[in-house]
Structure formats: C-alpha cells, structure tokens
Amino acid sequence: MPKPSSSPNTSQTTDITTLDAWKNLSAHAKKMHGKHLKTIFVKDNERFTRLSVRLPSILADFSKNRVTEETISLLTTLADARNLGAQISAMFSGAKINNTEDRAVLHTALRAPENARVTVDGQDVILDVHTALKRMEKCADDIRSGAWRGHTGKEITDIVNIGIGGSVMGPQLATQALAGYAHMRIRTHYISNVEASEMHRLLKDLSPDTTLFIIASKSFTTVETMQNATIARDKLVRHFGGDATAVSKHFVALAANTDAVKAFGIPSKNMFPLWGWVGGRYSVWSAIGLSTMISIGPKHFREFLAGAHEMDMHFKTAPLNKNIPALMGLIGLWYRNFLDFPAYTVVPYHSGLARLPAWLQQADMESNGKHITSEGTPVTVATGPCVFGEPGTDSQHTYFQWLHQGTDIVPVDFIAAIKTPYGNKQQQSMLLANCLAQSEALMNGQDNTQEPYRHFEGNRPSTTILLDELTPHNLGMLLAAYEHRVFVQGAIWGINSFDQFGVELGKALAKTIQTELTDKINGMHDASTSGLIHHITNTRG
Ligand code: F6P
C-alpha cells in the first residue's frame, strides 16, 4: 500500500462524488447541456473581457468554453473543498507529495531565483540547482565559443541528445521552438527510439571528430537510452582506433545515478546532476535542458527559466478564477467529469511547437492516467483525458473534419504567437486568421437544413492562448502553465500525478521476450504472444 499522502489535504480521503461541490456541479451540468455558446455570447457582450486572463506577454481566452461564471464559481468551490491552495503550497515548499515514491516534487525550484529558499531533507535545493546551472553554463559557453574541442582538436558542430520520454520531449520541443536563437555553427539532434534506422541515418552523416553526445537519463538505466548510448560510444571509440580517452571529449551525462555514469565510462566532470525530486516529464528546466542551453545560449535559457518562474508566481498567487493554469485545469476537469468529453486536443499554430502535443501527452497522460487515489483506493470518477494534437494549419486538413462534424466533442486549445521574425505580414495574418476562424466555426457552427451534410451544430468549445511572440520567456510561461494544469486536476482527483508505475509491466515483459527472441527459447505466454514470437523467429531464420 502506498504511504498516506503527506499533503495537507484531509478531504482527499472523502469520495469526491459525495461532496456537495461535486453534486452541485452535476446538477449544474444538466442545466448547461441545453445551452449553446452562440446564445450565451449574444446575451453577454462582456464575456470575452471577463473570461480571458491577460498577463504581460500572454493572453488566455477562456470565453469560448461551455462555462458560465456560475460554472467557474462551482469549480473553484470544488477546488477549495479539495484544498487545492494548500496542495499548491505543499508542492512549492518541497513537501513529499509524491507519496508512493516518498519524494518532493520541485520542478518549480529548478526555475526559482538564486535568493529563494527551499530545503528537502535538510538540503538547500536552490543552492544545488544554481550550482548545477552555473556548471551547465560553463559547458555550454565552452562548446559555443569553441573552447571545448574534440579528441582531434576540432570544434563541436553537432550535439546528439540520446534520451527518451522526459529526457527528450522537453529539450527537443524547446530547441525546435527556439530555433531562431540557435548558435550558427551548432546543430542539435535527438535520438530516442531504439529502432535502429534513426540512429543509423544520423551517425552515418556526422563526423565523430566534431560530435558531442549527451546521454540524458535520470535513472541511467533506461534500456533504449543505454542501448543507443553504447552503440554511439563503441562507434566513437572504434573511430579513434580503440582510444577510450576520447569519451571524455565527446560524451556528457545528465543523470541522478553517479555510479552508472561512472561504469559507462563518462568522467564525473562531464556529469550534470538531477535529483529524486525532479520528475522526468518535468525535467526540461534541469540539466536535461543542456542541449537546449547549448543551442540557444545560457542567457536565453535563463529567460526560459524566468518565464516559467513568472507563471509559477501567477499560479501560486492569482485567485483561481483569474489564474491561467487553474482555469485550464478546472475547465478541463469540468469537461472530463461533468460533460463526459474523453479527450482534448492542442493545436499550436507554429511549426516550432510541433513537439508540444507529444510533450503534453507525456506530461498529462503519464501524470494523470491513474485509477488509484493517493490513499491507495480506486478512484470513483474519470481521470486524465486523452491528449493529442498537431500544428495548424496542417491539422485543419487532417482531423479537423472530425472536430467540426464528428459525433464526439473534443475541446481544443489553440495556441499562436502574434509576432514572428519570419515570413511576411500577409503570411502571418493568414495563419492567425485561420486560428481564429477555426475556434469561431467550432463555436458558432452553421445552420443548413437543406443540405444536412453542410450543417455544423457548433457549441464546440475551445481556449485560445496568444503569446505576444515565441520567445524563450514566453515558451517557459506556456510550458509551466500546462504543467500546472495537470497538477490542478490530479490534486482535485486526489491521485498521485508524479509516479508512473503503469509503464513498468511492459518493460519487464519486454526483457523476458527479448531473451526469448535472441536465444530462441520458448517462454510461457498466451497463444497470441507465442504465435507472434514464433512468426518473428521463423521469419528472421
Ligand atoms: O518509462 C517512463 C519513464 O520513466 C519516464 O517517466 C521518463 O521520462 C523516461 O522513462 C526516461 O527515464 P530516464 O530519464 O530515467 O531514462
């Protein structure tokens, strides 16, 4: 049994469906079922003003959601009944809210200023964070300036980050999003999958003399990462005629497992630390972000952290009904639990944010895909939704038909940057017009009784998030907002959003099956799995 939650939320032991706040929302949902957003807007000129939140460089418009101010008020009452405020404080202060793993959850400390104070088990976390940051900055500066040279004395031109899950999603997203800030000489690549063609294609084109491999793995035991890292290391050592000293010029480790890094052959001066209280999917702000820092430079990486910190402060201090991450979380919960929408989609109108949906899939679905509460009892309501997405306008030509006229209702998060250094004004206006047009069409629909296939019922909700520009600071704000969205829902459902035991069973079975495939052993499996194993071994010969 998991340890009881150390959060101060005593009401978490109560079945959420028995709370008055829950019952009131259920009753309210019945009233809301018949209401069309179009009509709500016609009756209320001030709706956009009241239901949007403007921070200095980001605007979140919640007004196209199927909520009224009464809905928001009932949702904040539920949040209060589940002690959301106390749970937020517990997370920020370093309480061990990841109770199954007995860990604090402190990605917020990774972006806190140097004069902040947070301790875990008597250790000054902020001091550790800033000491690591300064070491990362020295490394990034040396690589960027050319002071860091490869084994044959050449400057580094290519960074290859080998890692999977949280050890690739965040940095890959951030590096792509901030490609406009990239160092001219340095190209950054990401390898995650153990599927061989990805690695093969990349390594064939890169020169080992000028390549730096970053092995990003908190545990430093993840099989895909270790497999790919070993292939890269062996290839490099072979290239240098078996001289293993080359590893110290071409390999860096980002990990919490010092012994495993040492055993792999990476010297401790090339290792940048992580701590138990950094969850993999919340780790882009830590050493895991090194590839991004090298690409965009330490100054811009600091701006990225500062943006996230600004969102942290907003989340911590703004009233729930004017709080961007809280409203994202509460409205999402309303859809999941009271209007029975099983999914949401995030559509960034920016190619640089192409990896945002994948990053969010891990952040949300690995965090809140849970069926047991923090107290170890089955949950009584639906938890984390399915998350998916693709950039616009491309996605308008793929799955948007389904959003407009399909039989399921899927709320949308539209994200766009108003200003761009690229293209011309007309291109950018076209992009923004498409973004706004989609949310308008989803909401208002279009009547056509003559040609029912042209009828759009509308009433399909969305949130629009507008960044002034896609800068490091604003990207930090955006990602932190989504992290807190996930937290809000998990806290109210009373689940532990910070463990991921659901990924372990498949990993263990894969080990067994791998041995069987390699050694052609017959294991004990169901008829389907055995049949597939036989088919593979026979086909391979
Ligand atoms: O399999 C899931 C997971 O544990 C993620 O939570 C994590 O981000 C990923 O694997 C990679 O883990 P590591 O950084 O330890 O290699």
mmCIF file of all heavy atoms in Angstrom, residues 43-78:
data_model
loop_
_atom_site.group_PDB
_atom_site.id
_atom_site.type_symbol
_atom_site.label_atom_id
_atom_site.label_comp_id
_atom_site.label_asym_id
_atom_site.label_seq_id
_atom_site.Cartn_x
_atom_site.Cartn_y
_atom_site.Cartn_z
ATOM 1 N N LYS A 43 -26.079 37.093 -25.533
ATOM 2 C CA LYS A 43 -26.661 37.734 -24.355
ATOM 3 C C LYS A 43 -25.629 38.471 -23.506
ATOM 4 O O LYS A 43 -25.980 39.111 -22.534
ATOM 5 C CB LYS A 43 -27.315 36.652 -23.480
ATOM 6 C CG LYS A 43 -28.586 36.099 -24.067
ATOM 7 C CD LYS A 43 -29.237 35.190 -23.046
ATOM 8 C CE LYS A 43 -30.430 34.481 -23.646
ATOM 9 N NZ LYS A 43 -30.714 33.223 -22.961
ATOM 10 N N ASP A 44 -24.353 38.298 -23.812
ATOM 11 C CA ASP A 44 -23.332 38.800 -22.890
ATOM 12 C C ASP A 44 -22.168 39.426 -23.654
ATOM 13 O O ASP A 44 -21.254 38.736 -24.082
ATOM 14 C CB ASP A 44 -22.844 37.623 -22.022
ATOM 15 C CG ASP A 44 -21.813 38.054 -21.006
ATOM 16 O OD1 ASP A 44 -21.466 39.244 -20.966
ATOM 17 O OD2 ASP A 44 -21.359 37.173 -20.246
ATOM 18 N N ASN A 45 -22.195 40.745 -23.792
ATOM 19 C CA ASN A 45 -21.147 41.459 -24.535
ATOM 20 C C ASN A 45 -19.799 41.462 -23.839
ATOM 21 O O ASN A 45 -18.774 41.649 -24.463
ATOM 22 C CB ASN A 45 -21.559 42.932 -24.716
ATOM 23 C CG ASN A 45 -22.525 43.063 -25.859
ATOM 24 O OD1 ASN A 45 -22.556 42.202 -26.725
ATOM 25 N ND2 ASN A 45 -23.324 44.120 -25.836
ATOM 26 N N GLU A 46 -19.833 41.288 -22.544
ATOM 27 C CA GLU A 46 -18.611 41.424 -21.743
ATOM 28 C C GLU A 46 -17.903 40.087 -21.525
ATOM 29 O O GLU A 46 -16.932 40.005 -20.787
ATOM 30 C CB GLU A 46 -18.963 42.015 -20.353
ATOM 31 C CG GLU A 46 -19.506 43.424 -20.402
ATOM 32 C CD GLU A 46 -18.490 44.387 -20.991
ATOM 33 O OE1 GLU A 46 -17.342 44.393 -20.523
ATOM 34 O OE2 GLU A 46 -18.844 45.099 -21.958
ATOM 35 N N ARG A 47 -18.447 39.056 -22.145
ATOM 36 C CA ARG A 47 -17.949 37.702 -21.827
ATOM 37 C C ARG A 47 -16.437 37.553 -22.091
ATOM 38 O O ARG A 47 -15.712 37.012 -21.264
ATOM 39 C CB ARG A 47 -18.749 36.679 -22.650
ATOM 40 C CG ARG A 47 -18.450 35.252 -22.288
ATOM 41 C CD ARG A 47 -19.400 34.317 -23.016
ATOM 42 N NE ARG A 47 -18.873 32.968 -22.990
ATOM 43 C CZ ARG A 47 -19.047 32.091 -22.009
ATOM 44 N NH1 ARG A 47 -19.753 32.429 -20.946
ATOM 45 N NH2 ARG A 47 -18.524 30.890 -22.069
ATOM 46 N N PHE A 48 -15.980 38.052 -23.223
ATOM 47 C CA PHE A 48 -14.545 37.936 -23.525
ATOM 48 C C PHE A 48 -13.721 38.646 -22.453
ATOM 49 O O PHE A 48 -12.723 38.103 -21.943
ATOM 50 C CB PHE A 48 -14.228 38.528 -24.908
ATOM 51 C CG PHE A 48 -12.751 38.687 -25.160
ATOM 52 C CD1 PHE A 48 -11.967 37.585 -25.478
ATOM 53 C CD2 PHE A 48 -12.134 39.933 -25.053
ATOM 54 C CE1 PHE A 48 -10.585 37.716 -25.692
ATOM 55 C CE2 PHE A 48 -10.754 40.070 -25.262
ATOM 56 C CZ PHE A 48 -9.987 38.964 -25.583
ATOM 57 N N THR A 49 -14.148 39.843 -22.077
ATOM 58 C CA THR A 49 -13.379 40.615 -21.091
ATOM 59 C C THR A 49 -13.321 39.872 -19.762
ATOM 60 O O THR A 49 -12.266 39.804 -19.122
ATOM 61 C CB THR A 49 -14.061 41.989 -20.870
ATOM 62 O OG1 THR A 49 -14.360 42.515 -22.153
ATOM 63 C CG2 THR A 49 -13.183 42.936 -20.088
ATOM 64 N N ARG A 50 -14.433 39.314 -19.371
ATOM 65 C CA ARG A 50 -14.471 38.683 -18.040
ATOM 66 C C ARG A 50 -13.829 37.296 -18.029
ATOM 67 O O ARG A 50 -13.290 36.881 -17.015
ATOM 68 C CB ARG A 50 -15.916 38.610 -17.536
ATOM 69 C CG ARG A 50 -16.370 39.947 -16.927
ATOM 70 C CD ARG A 50 -17.739 39.878 -16.319
ATOM 71 N NE ARG A 50 -18.759 39.856 -17.362
ATOM 72 C CZ ARG A 50 -19.397 38.779 -17.758
ATOM 73 N NH1 ARG A 50 -19.156 37.621 -17.193
ATOM 74 N NH2 ARG A 50 -20.294 38.842 -18.720
ATOM 75 N N LEU A 51 -13.913 36.601 -19.166
ATOM 76 C CA LEU A 51 -13.408 35.217 -19.165
ATOM 77 C C LEU A 51 -12.080 35.068 -19.910
ATOM 78 O O LEU A 51 -11.763 33.996 -20.409
ATOM 79 C CB LEU A 51 -14.462 34.268 -19.746
ATOM 80 C CG LEU A 51 -15.630 33.972 -18.806
ATOM 81 C CD1 LEU A 51 -16.687 33.118 -19.499
ATOM 82 C CD2 LEU A 51 -15.160 33.271 -17.545
ATOM 83 N N SER A 52 -11.331 36.147 -19.999
ATOM 84 C CA SER A 52 -9.971 35.980 -20.508
ATOM 85 C C SER A 52 -9.014 36.566 -19.472
ATOM 86 O O SER A 52 -9.391 37.442 -18.702
ATOM 87 C CB SER A 52 -9.805 36.618 -21.886
ATOM 88 O OG SER A 52 -10.140 37.974 -21.831
ATOM 89 N N VAL A 53 -7.809 36.020 -19.470
ATOM 90 C CA VAL A 53 -6.806 36.466 -18.500
ATOM 91 C C VAL A 53 -5.595 36.951 -19.278
ATOM 92 O O VAL A 53 -5.078 36.243 -20.146
ATOM 93 C CB VAL A 53 -6.398 35.325 -17.539
ATOM 94 C CG1 VAL A 53 -5.386 35.829 -16.507
ATOM 95 C CG2 VAL A 53 -7.613 34.720 -16.846
ATOM 96 N N ARG A 54 -5.178 38.177 -18.963
ATOM 97 C CA ARG A 54 -4.053 38.791 -19.690
ATOM 98 C C ARG A 54 -2.892 38.955 -18.730
ATOM 99 O O ARG A 54 -3.013 39.616 -17.704
ATOM 100 C CB ARG A 54 -4.513 40.167 -20.199
ATOM 101 C CG ARG A 54 -3.452 40.991 -20.894
ATOM 102 C CD ARG A 54 -3.570 40.809 -22.402
ATOM 103 N NE ARG A 54 -2.627 41.647 -23.142
ATOM 104 C CZ ARG A 54 -1.420 41.231 -23.534
ATOM 105 N NH1 ARG A 54 -0.976 40.023 -23.211
ATOM 106 N NH2 ARG A 54 -0.645 42.018 -24.237
ATOM 107 N N LEU A 55 -1.768 38.332 -19.054
ATOM 108 C CA LEU A 55 -0.512 38.588 -18.338
ATOM 109 C C LEU A 55 0.351 39.407 -19.297
ATOM 110 O O LEU A 55 0.011 39.526 -20.475
ATOM 111 C CB LEU A 55 0.160 37.269 -17.953
ATOM 112 C CG LEU A 55 -0.653 36.373 -16.999
ATOM 113 C CD1 LEU A 55 0.118 35.114 -16.638
ATOM 114 C CD2 LEU A 55 -1.068 37.117 -15.745
ATOM 115 N N PRO A 56 1.493 39.959 -18.853
ATOM 116 C CA PRO A 56 2.214 40.878 -19.732
ATOM 117 C C PRO A 56 2.487 40.352 -21.155
ATOM 118 O O PRO A 56 2.410 41.111 -22.100
ATOM 119 C CB PRO A 56 3.513 41.139 -18.968
ATOM 120 C CG PRO A 56 3.109 41.022 -17.540
ATOM 121 C CD PRO A 56 2.068 39.929 -17.491
ATOM 122 N N SER A 57 2.769 39.066 -21.337
ATOM 123 C CA SER A 57 3.098 38.640 -22.705
ATOM 124 C C SER A 57 2.269 37.446 -23.173
ATOM 125 O O SER A 57 2.642 36.756 -24.117
ATOM 126 C CB SER A 57 4.587 38.295 -22.786
ATOM 127 O OG SER A 57 4.883 37.344 -21.790
ATOM 128 N N ILE A 58 1.168 37.199 -22.507
ATOM 129 C CA ILE A 58 0.345 36.035 -22.866
ATOM 130 C C ILE A 58 -1.116 36.345 -22.522
ATOM 131 O O ILE A 58 -1.397 36.935 -21.484
ATOM 132 C CB ILE A 58 0.877 34.791 -22.098
ATOM 133 C CG1 ILE A 58 0.158 33.512 -22.484
ATOM 134 C CG2 ILE A 58 0.844 34.938 -20.626
ATOM 135 C CD1 ILE A 58 0.853 32.248 -21.941
ATOM 136 N N LEU A 59 -1.984 35.953 -23.436
ATOM 137 C CA LEU A 59 -3.416 36.133 -23.183
ATOM 138 C C LEU A 59 -4.093 34.768 -23.313
ATOM 139 O O LEU A 59 -3.859 34.066 -24.305
ATOM 140 C CB LEU A 59 -4.017 37.095 -24.211
ATOM 141 C CG LEU A 59 -5.543 37.153 -24.148
ATOM 142 C CD1 LEU A 59 -6.006 38.478 -23.580
ATOM 143 C CD2 LEU A 59 -6.185 36.950 -25.495
ATOM 144 N N ALA A 60 -4.886 34.409 -22.331
ATOM 145 C CA ALA A 60 -5.639 33.150 -22.431
ATOM 146 C C ALA A 60 -7.120 33.491 -22.450
ATOM 147 O O ALA A 60 -7.648 34.071 -21.485
ATOM 148 C CB ALA A 60 -5.302 32.244 -21.251
ATOM 149 N N ASP A 61 -7.768 33.164 -23.560
ATOM 150 C CA ASP A 61 -9.200 33.455 -23.705
ATOM 151 C C ASP A 61 -9.997 32.176 -23.433
ATOM 152 O O ASP A 61 -9.963 31.231 -24.219
ATOM 153 C CB ASP A 61 -9.466 33.970 -25.125
ATOM 154 C CG ASP A 61 -10.961 34.112 -25.393
ATOM 155 O OD1 ASP A 61 -11.738 34.224 -24.423
ATOM 156 O OD2 ASP A 61 -11.345 34.095 -26.580
ATOM 157 N N PHE A 62 -10.689 32.191 -22.301
ATOM 158 C CA PHE A 62 -11.495 31.014 -21.922
ATOM 159 C C PHE A 62 -12.958 31.194 -22.319
ATOM 160 O O PHE A 62 -13.788 30.351 -22.016
ATOM 161 C CB PHE A 62 -11.410 30.800 -20.398
ATOM 162 C CG PHE A 62 -10.012 30.466 -19.927
ATOM 163 C CD1 PHE A 62 -9.214 31.440 -19.325
ATOM 164 C CD2 PHE A 62 -9.492 29.192 -20.084
ATOM 165 C CE1 PHE A 62 -7.926 31.143 -18.902
ATOM 166 C CE2 PHE A 62 -8.201 28.888 -19.663
ATOM 167 C CZ PHE A 62 -7.419 29.861 -19.069
ATOM 168 N N SER A 63 -13.279 32.328 -22.971
ATOM 169 C CA SER A 63 -14.697 32.652 -23.148
ATOM 170 C C SER A 63 -15.414 31.726 -24.128
ATOM 171 O O SER A 63 -16.636 31.626 -24.089
ATOM 172 C CB SER A 63 -14.851 34.113 -23.570
ATOM 173 O OG SER A 63 -14.286 34.317 -24.840
ATOM 174 N N LYS A 64 -14.663 31.036 -25.004
ATOM 175 C CA LYS A 64 -15.341 30.120 -25.947
ATOM 176 C C LYS A 64 -15.496 28.723 -25.336
ATOM 177 O O LYS A 64 -15.609 27.740 -26.053
ATOM 178 C CB LYS A 64 -14.579 30.045 -27.267
ATOM 179 C CG LYS A 64 -14.695 31.306 -28.133
ATOM 180 C CD LYS A 64 -14.256 31.011 -29.571
ATOM 181 C CE LYS A 64 -14.241 32.233 -30.465
ATOM 182 N NZ LYS A 64 -12.981 32.984 -30.421
ATOM 183 N N ASN A 65 -15.474 28.628 -24.030
ATOM 184 C CA ASN A 65 -15.721 27.346 -23.369
ATOM 185 C C ASN A 65 -17.163 27.263 -22.879
ATOM 186 O O ASN A 65 -17.808 28.289 -22.633
ATOM 187 C CB ASN A 65 -14.756 27.184 -22.186
ATOM 188 C CG ASN A 65 -13.382 26.773 -22.663
ATOM 189 O OD1 ASN A 65 -13.190 25.652 -23.126
ATOM 190 N ND2 ASN A 65 -12.428 27.691 -22.580
ATOM 191 N N ARG A 66 -17.634 26.031 -22.727
ATOM 192 C CA ARG A 66 -19.032 25.837 -22.315
ATOM 193 C C ARG A 66 -19.159 26.004 -20.805
ATOM 194 O O ARG A 66 -19.432 25.061 -20.065
ATOM 195 C CB ARG A 66 -19.529 24.476 -22.792
ATOM 196 C CG ARG A 66 -19.937 24.590 -24.263
ATOM 197 C CD ARG A 66 -20.146 23.295 -24.950
ATOM 198 N NE ARG A 66 -21.229 22.487 -24.427
ATOM 199 C CZ ARG A 66 -21.708 21.427 -25.076
ATOM 200 N NH1 ARG A 66 -21.228 21.086 -26.250
ATOM 201 N NH2 ARG A 66 -22.660 20.708 -24.530
ATOM 202 N N VAL A 67 -18.882 27.208 -20.383
ATOM 203 C CA VAL A 67 -18.977 27.539 -18.957
ATOM 204 C C VAL A 67 -19.649 28.904 -18.812
ATOM 205 O O VAL A 67 -19.606 29.717 -19.729
ATOM 206 C CB VAL A 67 -17.582 27.615 -18.298
ATOM 207 C CG1 VAL A 67 -16.902 26.264 -18.265
ATOM 208 C CG2 VAL A 67 -16.688 28.660 -18.958
ATOM 209 N N THR A 68 -20.227 29.102 -17.647
ATOM 210 C CA THR A 68 -20.699 30.435 -17.270
ATOM 211 C C THR A 68 -19.909 30.832 -16.027
ATOM 212 O O THR A 68 -19.132 30.020 -15.503
ATOM 213 C CB THR A 68 -22.195 30.407 -16.908
ATOM 214 O OG1 THR A 68 -22.341 29.500 -15.809
ATOM 215 C CG2 THR A 68 -23.044 29.964 -18.080
ATOM 216 N N GLU A 69 -20.150 32.018 -15.547
ATOM 217 C CA GLU A 69 -19.441 32.388 -14.321
ATOM 218 C C GLU A 69 -19.876 31.513 -13.151
ATOM 219 O O GLU A 69 -19.101 31.238 -12.241
ATOM 220 C CB GLU A 69 -19.636 33.868 -14.033
ATOM 221 C CG GLU A 69 -18.597 34.614 -14.856
ATOM 222 C CD GLU A 69 -18.789 36.092 -14.896
ATOM 223 O OE1 GLU A 69 -19.946 36.499 -15.129
ATOM 224 O OE2 GLU A 69 -17.814 36.806 -14.682
ATOM 225 N N GLU A 70 -21.120 31.036 -13.226
ATOM 226 C CA GLU A 70 -21.573 30.107 -12.178
ATOM 227 C C GLU A 70 -20.750 28.812 -12.227
ATOM 228 O O GLU A 70 -20.357 28.267 -11.195
ATOM 229 C CB GLU A 70 -23.063 29.802 -12.371
ATOM 230 C CG GLU A 70 -23.636 28.969 -11.229
ATOM 231 C CD GLU A 70 -25.081 28.529 -11.465
ATOM 232 O OE1 GLU A 70 -25.682 28.916 -12.484
ATOM 233 O OE2 GLU A 70 -25.594 27.771 -10.607
ATOM 234 N N THR A 71 -20.483 28.333 -13.457
ATOM 235 C CA THR A 71 -19.677 27.113 -13.586
ATOM 236 C C THR A 71 -18.315 27.322 -12.923
ATOM 237 O O THR A 71 -17.849 26.470 -12.157
ATOM 238 C CB THR A 71 -19.437 26.759 -15.081
ATOM 239 O OG1 THR A 71 -20.598 27.039 -15.838
ATOM 240 C CG2 THR A 71 -19.001 25.325 -15.249
ATOM 241 N N ILE A 72 -17.687 28.456 -13.242
ATOM 242 C CA ILE A 72 -16.349 28.725 -12.698
ATOM 243 C C ILE A 72 -16.425 28.800 -11.174
ATOM 244 O O ILE A 72 -15.584 28.244 -10.457
ATOM 245 C CB ILE A 72 -15.775 30.052 -13.266
ATOM 246 C CG1 ILE A 72 -15.699 30.003 -14.797
ATOM 247 C CG2 ILE A 72 -14.402 30.359 -12.652
ATOM 248 C CD1 ILE A 72 -14.726 29.012 -15.390
ATOM 249 N N SER A 73 -17.451 29.432 -10.691
ATOM 250 C CA SER A 73 -17.579 29.569 -9.241
ATOM 251 C C SER A 73 -17.768 28.188 -8.576
ATOM 252 O O SER A 73 -17.162 27.881 -7.548
ATOM 253 C CB SER A 73 -18.750 30.512 -8.971
ATOM 254 O OG SER A 73 -19.219 30.325 -7.690
ATOM 255 N N LEU A 74 -18.585 27.334 -9.206
ATOM 256 C CA LEU A 74 -18.782 25.984 -8.650
ATOM 257 C C LEU A 74 -17.479 25.170 -8.715
ATOM 258 O O LEU A 74 -17.171 24.387 -7.815
ATOM 259 C CB LEU A 74 -19.896 25.259 -9.414
ATOM 260 C CG LEU A 74 -21.312 25.808 -9.197
ATOM 261 C CD1 LEU A 74 -22.291 25.194 -10.201
ATOM 262 C CD2 LEU A 74 -21.786 25.534 -7.766
ATOM 263 N N LEU A 75 -16.737 25.373 -9.792
ATOM 264 C CA LEU A 75 -15.465 24.637 -9.924
ATOM 265 C C LEU A 75 -14.453 25.104 -8.877
ATOM 266 O O LEU A 75 -13.727 24.291 -8.298
ATOM 267 C CB LEU A 75 -14.893 24.832 -11.334
ATOM 268 C CG LEU A 75 -15.599 24.048 -12.454
ATOM 269 C CD1 LEU A 75 -15.206 24.580 -13.833
ATOM 270 C CD2 LEU A 75 -15.280 22.552 -12.361
ATOM 271 N N THR A 76 -14.402 26.396 -8.634
ATOM 272 C CA THR A 76 -13.444 26.880 -7.623
ATOM 273 C C THR A 76 -13.888 26.428 -6.224
ATOM 274 O O THR A 76 -13.055 26.166 -5.364
ATOM 275 C CB THR A 76 -13.265 28.417 -7.677
ATOM 276 O OG1 THR A 76 -14.516 29.027 -7.491
ATOM 277 C CG2 THR A 76 -12.663 28.857 -8.990
ATOM 278 N N THR A 77 -15.182 26.285 -6.031
ATOM 279 C CA THR A 77 -15.663 25.756 -4.743
ATOM 280 C C THR A 77 -15.199 24.304 -4.576
ATOM 281 O O THR A 77 -14.773 23.886 -3.491
ATOM 282 C CB THR A 77 -17.213 25.827 -4.669
ATOM 283 O OG1 THR A 77 -17.590 27.168 -4.915
ATOM 284 C CG2 THR A 77 -17.746 25.378 -3.326
ATOM 285 N N LEU A 78 -15.265 23.538 -5.667
ATOM 286 C CA LEU A 78 -14.769 22.157 -5.603
ATOM 287 C C LEU A 78 -13.272 22.154 -5.295
ATOM 288 O O LEU A 78 -12.791 21.369 -4.469
ATOM 289 C CB LEU A 78 -15.032 21.442 -6.941
ATOM 290 C CG LEU A 78 -14.452 20.027 -7.042
ATOM 291 C CD1 LEU A 78 -15.190 19.058 -6.105
ATOM 292 C CD2 LEU A 78 -14.511 19.504 -8.489
#
